[in-house]
Amino acid sequence: MTDYEKIDFSSILALAGDEVVTHSPVRDIRLPSGKVLALITLDNGRDHTRPNTLGPATLTELGETLSGLKARAAAGEIQAVAITGKQYILAAGADLSDISKVQSKEQAKLIAQLGHKVIGSLSELGVPSFAFVNGLALGGGLEIALNSTYRTVDASAAAVALPEVFLGIIPGWGGAYLLPNLIGIENALEVVISNPLKQNRMLKPQQAFDLGIFDAIFPAANYLENSLAWADAVLGGKKVERKNEPGKLERLTKWPIAIKMARGMLESKIGTVPKSPYAALELLDKAKSGTRAEGFAREDEALSELVTGDQFAASMYAFDLVQKRAKRPVGAPDKALAKKVTKVGIIGAGLMASQFALLFVRKLRVPVLITDIDQARVDKGVAYINDEIGKLEAKGRLDADGANQLRGLIHGTVDKSEYADCEFVIEAVFEEVGVKQQVFGEIEKYIAEDAILATNTSSLSVEEIGAKLAHPERLVGFHFFNPVAVMPLIEIVKTPGTNEHTLSTAFVVAKGLGKNAVLTADAPGFVVNRLLAKVMGEAARAVYEGTPVADVEKAFSPLGLPMGPFQLIDLVGWKVAAHVQDTMVRHFPGRFYANENFHALAELEQVVEKDKGGRVTGWTKAAEKALKGHLGSTPASAETILQRVQDGLTQEIKLMLDEDVVPEVEDIDLCLILGAGWPFIDGGASVYLDREGASERVFDGTFHSPPIRGIAHV
């Protein structure tokens, strides 16, 4: 087994020159029983906006601290060690900026080994160790807790998770071995693999406690005092029961079955391209037997393999976009120019409009007005919003007072004069230029001259929509993605006439809604829908050539998108998809594919058959009838379909950059990651297309110079 004490870690310490070091000061606390507990408080000296992270220098200092405490324990000076964090935060995991600097597989392995050496020593101090998880605990932060003998959690902690698989790696400091042996294989599969693949879902403290990750949960008000008292009781003999800890029967029967089912689920949902979920699955499988030291050695190998690969390099690029670029939108005017929004108007009361209203009222806490062509539609919209507020209350996400306050802020009417005091008005009406022009023309008569008008169009020209306005300079595109409450992106569309006050207000409102905004020029389809139209068009082309729909879905799997093209069309709606395709073909007739027969399919109640996982397996009988006589007899191979979509995406992205639709390719990738669920392991589209050779094929170059590749391929 690996002797971590004999390893020379100096080469990775050299990477930590600009590391924000999280220090580990210690204070002794005499417990009521008279026993002494040494309490380590992790603290990087910054406020909560800069979480504690675990880089090489941090780990080295923590290792020295723990070594000193081990000596004190041997001398009988202390009877326990506990570790907690600064206010609101234990640790947000490894310092990823340091990991991304590694130059070789050997260095990557050293990072895994240093974590195992230091954090693993929490279980080898000669006295019990306690983790008091007082706040955010992600990745290595949670692994600190897992390596401790006992664990408590603050009920108000922001989140608990092992998100590594989302980033293209695995829990590499004990998590993949210790967690399944603590909470059982099925629970561990949820935390380590399923949650990261569900847009990086986190656990709330109560959920983590219920799974058995923590031994006790205490309210924030007296969290440290309660944790210390509980630790004293444990030291005095209090029995700690762990109901989810796996026994022999689970290891022999349930464990292999759960692994087999998880593998089948992964293969059907994400294909076999992503490496980290399968590496994690392998580690969880092997954790059912063998020693802790063997488990740690397996993690060392797996982490070093993944950290040097292309998928981790792409993930770090994507992570940087989401963590930095998304928070400082390129092209956003000074926020001081924004108009203060104290009332919002929404034109329409259908499903989309009602989702807007719910989001605006929840996030901005201002009065929200909805209108429609008759009172029955308005009443239906208001009823939907109130029902959704009721659901949030039932789930405990709103208290009774908060729910009633939100209901009081929603008002529905057919009287358009009530828009007079709205500073921000957004339409959610039928996707047709004339309809949008008409409703804006009606509303403009009532609103103030400096009130902002926003259109949620997904592909129409914003400038054309505003062509008949008296003040077109106050119109901006404000394109949400479905489902409105969940998808984090808003494309803010600037026309040649949009003024800075309008644009600034749009960015400030988007931030207030908790969304990430990306500025785009007024071009057909903007960014996301233009590229998804390329994907959907190539899928339709293959079908009309005669390729079975299920084969087309499979051909697209290497792209790594969260769903196949026809599954996506079924989600957004066949009428909407047909409309978007027509729009793109009208503007770019030689580059996009549409088929008139698509409209016949769009009229059907159900177009495709799906399996239990929602994946498309074939056409309905009604669709087969509608398609009869329209399908060719020359099916395309999976390789042909994939290359056509790769080259088509490459061509469109290059043209979008040449046409200044967005400032840089990073903005296109950010839009695809946030608005289309493009996986982190691809780094958006551009990194993937460079890596697959499509950029070279299409324009004899690459989007990134040098291309973003892992160390193993540099």
Side-chain angles (χ1 to χ4, degrees):
M1 289 299 100
T2 309
D3 186 348
Y4 294 121
E5 295 298 328
K6 292 182 178 177
I7 296 173
D8 178 7
F9 294 105
S10 58
S11 70
I12 57 166
L13 273 170
L15 302 176
D18 55 354
E19 180 184 335
V20 177
V21 178
T22 297
H23 297 290
S24 44
V26 182
R27 62 188 170 110
D28 285 358
I29 296 176
R30 189 166 291 279
L31 301 171
S33 65
K35 294 183 174 72
V36 177
L37 177 145
L39 179 66
I40 304 167
T41 303
L42 298 175
D43 192 345
N44 63 4
R46 309 289 181 90
D47 66 17
H48 67 279
T49 62
R50 181 60 169 88
N52 296 331
T53 50
L54 308 169
T58 295
L59 287 170
T60 300
E61 182 181 317
L62 178 59
E64 290 167 356
T65 300
L66 291 171
S67 181
L69 292 175
K70 184 174 183 177
R72 291 186 65 202
E77 296 174 21
I78 56 174
Q79 284 72 53
V81 172
I83 188 164
T84 192
K86 68 180 184 181
Q87 193 173 20
Y88 309 125
I89 291 161
L90 178 68
D95 188 327
L96 292 174
S97 63
D98 285 334
I99 292 179
S100 59
K101 290 177 194 168
V102 299
Q103 300 298 311
S104 65
K105 186 176 177 181
E106 289 70 34
Q107 277 193 335
K109 192 171 183 178
L110 286 174
I111 286 179
Q113 291 173 328
L114 181 59
H116 280 133
K117 175 192 173 185
V118 173
I119 297 173
S121 70
L122 280 161
S123 63
E124 300 166 347
L125 298 175
V127 292
S129 57
F130 295 83
F132 297 157
V133 179
N134 64 310
L136 186 75
L138 306 180
L142 180 54
E143 285 171 307
I144 284 174
L146 293 173
N147 277 279
S148 300
T149 321
Y150 304 101
R151 294 157 288 283
T152 73
V153 66
D154 185 324
S156 70
V160 174
L162 292 173
E164 287 86 352
V165 162
F166 178 70
L167 296 171
I169 51 176
I170 48 94
W173 289 343
Y177 177 81
L178 297 171
L179 190 68
N181 284 298
L182 177 68
I183 65 173
I185 186 58
E186 290 179 340
N187 291 333
L189 284 165
E190 179 187 336
V191 176
V192 175
I193 298 177
S194 298
N195 284 353
L197 294 178
K198 291 173 182 170
Q199 292 297 303
N200 205 16
R201 182 180 289 177
M202 308 276 173
L203 294 171
K204 294 292 184 189
Q206 185 64 49
Q207 293 172 307
F209 172 71
D210 291 341
L211 286 173
I213 295 174
F214 297 101
D215 300 311
I217 183 169
F218 300 116
N222 299 299
Y223 173 67
L224 184 57
E225 294 89 334
N226 288 341
S227 291
L228 289 167
W230 183 84
D232 200 18
V234 170
L235 293 172
K238 175 185 170 70
K239 190 169 173 57
V240 177
E241 291 192 13
R242 292 173 177 156
K243 61 182 185 298
N244 291 332
E245 206 164 25
K248 282 184 180 179
L249 189 61
E250 174 170 340
R251 293 176 193 280
L252 286 170
T253 58
K254 189 190 287 187
W255 206 294
I257 293 169
I259 293 291
K260 185 178 179 181
M261 288 178 65
R263 190 179 301 279
M265 180 206 71
L266 284 176
E267 288 174 358
S268 63
K269 281 199 170 182
I270 65 170
T272 55
V273 174
K275 293 181 179 178
S276 60
Y278 292 99
L281 189 67
E282 197 68 27
L283 291 171
L284 291 172
D285 182 19
K286 290 180 177 173
K288 71 177 176 288
S289 59
T291 65
R292 174 175 168 272
E294 289 168 343
F296 283 13
R298 287 193 295 267
E299 290 176 359
D300 292 336
E301 288 297 329
L303 191 66
S304 62
E305 191 71 38
L306 291 169
V307 163
T308 55
D310 287 337
Q311 292 183 0
F312 180 66
S315 292
M316 288 299 92
Y317 165 79
F319 184 76
D320 200 52
L321 292 182
V322 170
Q323 291 297 310
K324 296 177 183 175
R325 196 175 185 92
K327 291 177 171 56
R328 294 188 292 275
V330 177
D334 187 338
K335 62 184 178 184
L337 296 172
K339 183 175 176 61
K340 186 173 174 60
V341 174
T342 60
K343 184 179 177 182
V344 171
I346 298 171
I347 307 170
L351 182 59
M352 184 66 83
S354 300
Q355 288 182 50
F356 289 173
L358 183 64
L359 180 68
F360 276 97
V361 78
R362 280 187 69 200
K363 297 295 186 178
L364 301 187
R365 302 286 172 132
V366 299
V368 174
L369 173 73
I370 65 170
T371 63
D372 214 310
I373 55 176
D374 59 55
Q375 193 62 44
R377 294 178 194 229
V378 171
D379 291 344
K380 185 178 179 183
V382 171
Y384 169 85
I385 296 161
N386 287 334
D387 284 349
E388 291 300 306
I389 291 170
K391 290 176 186 175
L392 292 169
E393 186 181 0
K395 291 176 183 174
R397 294 170 68 181
L398 283 172
D399 59 24
D401 288 345
N404 288 332
Q405 182 191 17
L406 293 190
R407 290 188 185 102
L409 290 170
I410 293 287
H411 176 55
T413 182
V414 292
D415 181 4
K416 294 180 175 62
S417 69
E418 292 194 34
Y419 281 102
D421 56 347
C422 291
E423 294 92 1
F424 189 91
V425 179
I426 183 169
E427 64 77 19
V429 299
F430 186 67
E431 189 74 349
E432 209 277 315
V433 170
V435 176
K436 294 181 190 292
Q437 287 178 337
Q438 181 189 337
V439 296
F440 276 143
E442 292 170 358
I443 295 301
E444 196 176 26
K445 299 170 189 171
Y446 300 103
I447 60 175
E449 282 195 9
D450 61 346
I452 310 301
L453 291 173
T455 172
N456 181 52
T457 181
S458 58
S459 60
L460 300 175
S461 165
V462 177
E463 185 177 18
E464 189 180 353
I465 290 168
K468 296 182 180 179
L469 289 173
H471 294 283
E473 71 279 358
R474 49 125 160 250
L475 178 65
V476 66
F478 204 73
H479 179 219
F480 285 91
F481 291 82
N482 218 359
V484 170
V486 176
M487 296 302 284
L489 179 69
I490 292 177
E491 289 175 328
I492 292 183
V493 185
K494 178 183 181 181
T495 74
T498 306
N499 66 31
E500 294 291 276
H501 294 280
T502 299
L503 210 54
S504 177
T505 305
F507 274 99
V508 169
V509 169
K511 187 174 183 182
L513 295 174
K515 302 296 185 184
N516 297 120
V518 175
L519 182 65
T520 166
D522 187 17
F526 316 128
V527 174
V528 176
N529 280 348
R530 180 164 168 176
L531 295 174
L532 288 183
K534 174 57 70 175
V535 171
M536 292 188 287
E538 290 306 325
R541 187 196 306 276
V543 159
Y544 283 105
E545 287 172 341
T547 316
V549 65
D551 291 352
V552 175
E553 293 283 279
K554 286 176 189 169
F556 279 76
S557 60
L559 289 177
L561 287 167
M563 54 186 74
F566 288 104
Q567 189 181 355
L568 176 65
I569 290 170
D570 209 54
L571 176 70
V572 301
W574 288 79
K575 285 186 179 180
V576 173
H579 176 81
V580 170
Q581 293 304 131
D582 287 348
T583 301
M584 301 312 294
V585 170
R586 188 169 68 250
H587 286 282
F588 309 121
R591 301 206 309 268
F592 283 80
Y593 179 86
N595 191 300
E596 268 304 311
N597 183 248
F598 225 58
H599 291 275
L601 290 177
E603 294 301 320
L604 301 177
E605 193 172 320
Q606 190 180 344
V607 181
V608 289
E609 300 281 4
K610 298 180 189 172
D611 63 17
K612 289 179 182 177
R615 291 169 296 280
V616 172
T617 56
W619 302 110
T620 60
K621 284 187 168 56
E624 285 176 354
K625 188 176 177 182
L627 286 163
K628 198 168 184 182
H630 294 277
L631 301 183
S633 56
T634 54
S637 68
E639 293 77 16
T640 298
I641 296 169
L642 182 61
Q643 183 164 326
R644 286 198 305 219
V645 77
Q646 288 174 344
D647 292 357
L649 286 170
T650 302
Q651 181 185 33
E652 285 310 308
I653 292 172
K654 184 71 168 64
L655 287 167
M656 288 160 80
L657 295 171
D658 293 343
E659 295 162 5
D660 295 321
V661 175
V662 292
E664 295 176 298
V665 75
E666 285 82 357
D667 298 298
I668 291 174
D669 289 326
L670 186 59
C671 283
L672 289 171
I673 290 163
L674 298 177
W678 208 287
F680 263 50
I681 61 158
D682 273 353
S686 70
V687 178
Y688 165 78
L689 295 169
D690 280 352
R691 194 171 69 232
E692 292 296 308
S695 311
E696 290 280 358
R697 289 196 300 268
V698 173
F699 63 91
D700 199 27
T702 54
F703 291 114
H704 300 275
S705 186
I708 294 168
R709 302 295 301 265
I711 303 155
H713 296 95
V714 172

